[in-house]
Amino acid sequence: GKMSVDSSYSYVIFLTIGYSLSAGLLVVINKWALVHYPYGANLTALQFSVSAFVAWFIGISGIDKVDGLETTKMWQFLPAVVMFYISVACNLKLLQHANVDTYIVVRACVPLLTMILDVKIMGAPVPANKTVLSMLIIVAAAVGYIYTD
């Protein structure tokens, strides 16, 4: 059914808080893991393997429906999977060599690059000037933080 504006707004806030908590915990847990096991690419592969096992278990146990592995789909998604793996491995490498604060500040610059690529590659409309200005302020603040840290 339709959600009211109030319940929809509350739901978005709930999801935003949940995502923030999840992402924040993941960064701290990964930093802790890297202190004890400093092999980021292996750690990433281990995390992906556990995720695959959990998905398989959910499907085989009947907890939820999980699509089977299809060779055609696997090859179609392989470039995205490889890029995601590289992205996660690079994030872990950054986290390994920087403190959590610096990692968060650097990651705050990702939306600007995403916006530029979205416009150039996907043909998305150029965002409003306020949006671009806001992102540039975030990048300037990140550069200032890194320069003074």
Side-chain angles (χ1 to χ4, degrees):
K2 286 190 169 183
M3 295 175 101
S4 71
V5 173
D6 288 340
S7 64
S8 148
Y9 183 73
S10 299
Y11 187 63
V12 169
I13 289 174
F14 171 76
L15 291 176
T16 303
I17 291 169
Y19 171 76
S20 298
L21 287 172
S22 172
L25 282 171
L26 185 61
V27 169
V28 173
I29 289 167
N30 277 334
K31 181 65 176 182
W32 176 85
L34 286 167
V35 167
H36 298 287
Y37 185 77
Y39 307 102
N42 291 346
L43 186 59
T44 302
L46 179 64
Q47 290 172 338
F48 279 32
S49 298
V50 169
S51 296
F53 173 77
V54 169
W56 171 81
F57 179 78
I58 287 171
I60 201 114
S61 65
I63 294 171
D64 204 351
K65 183 182 180 302
V66 176
D67 293 341
L69 189 60
E70 298 176 29
T71 306
T72 304
K73 284 185 182 178
M74 182 183 74
W75 287 111
Q76 289 172 339
F77 280 97
L78 186 63
V81 171
V82 169
M83 287 306 301
F84 185 69
Y85 179 85
I86 291 169
S87 174
V88 172
C90 289
N91 277 324
L92 288 180
K93 190 53 90 173
L94 171 61
L95 193 54
Q96 184 176 6
H97 295 287
N99 61 35
V100 171
D101 297 342
T102 301
Y103 171 84
I104 291 168
V105 168
V106 170
R107 286 289 309 261
C109 297
V110 170
L112 179 64
L113 179 59
T114 303
M115 177 190 67
I116 292 167
L117 292 174
D118 195 30
V119 169
K120 294 291 184 192
I121 295 172
M122 301 302 295
V126 176
N129 289 339
K130 287 181 185 179
T131 302
V132 174
L133 179 62
S134 298
M135 289 191 187
L136 290 173
I137 290 170
I138 291 170
V139 170
V143 169
Y145 173 84
I146 291 169
Y147 181 73
T148 60
D149 186 30

